[in-house]
Amino acid sequence: GEAGAADKAEGLVKKADTEKKFAALLHKLTAKFPKMLKVVKDPQQEYWQKMMNEAREKPAEKRPPAAEDGDAVDEEDVEDLDATDEL
């Protein structure tokens, strides 16, 4: 019954003591019992794939142009490193 199959599986796993033997065992089992395999999608991969597909389908939203090297910088955004704080 099932107990015998479980013991047999445990014995097979113990024999597969190297990566190569374990890979061979998995290959044989998947060939012999293909219906035991279930394809599962990674939810995170599915989420990012959906994001990529949506980005391709709709045109990019208007973005401000990237600053060029010669563009002026707002003075408000620059910290005055010469200013010294007195204690």
Side-chain angles (χ1 to χ4, degrees):
E2 283 188 34
D7 291 340
K8 187 174 181 180
E10 196 171 314
L12 290 172
V13 170
K14 285 181 182 176
K15 284 175 59 177
D17 56 355
T18 66
E19 289 178 17
K20 191 172 184 177
K21 287 181 183 178
F22 187 70
L25 173 63
L26 288 180
H27 182 74
K28 285 179 186 177
L29 289 173
T30 56
K32 189 171 182 177
F33 306 105
K35 292 183 180 179
M36 296 291 291
L37 298 178
K38 180 180 177 185
V39 177
V40 179
K41 288 188 177 185
D42 178 19
Q44 190 173 10
Q45 173 66 26
E46 204 169 349
Y47 169 80
W48 287 112
Q49 190 64 46
K50 181 180 172 189
M51 295 293 283
M52 293 293 290
N53 291 342
E54 287 177 4
R56 282 190 204 120
E57 289 172 7
K58 67 179 181 180
E61 296 173 12
K62 299 285 183 191
R63 295 185 196 129
E68 301 275 334
D69 288 336
D71 288 350
V73 177
D74 290 340
E75 287 294 323
E76 296 171 5
D77 295 341
V78 178
E79 183 179 341
D80 187 2
L81 298 176
D82 294 330
T84 56
D85 293 333
E86 293 190 23
L87 299 174

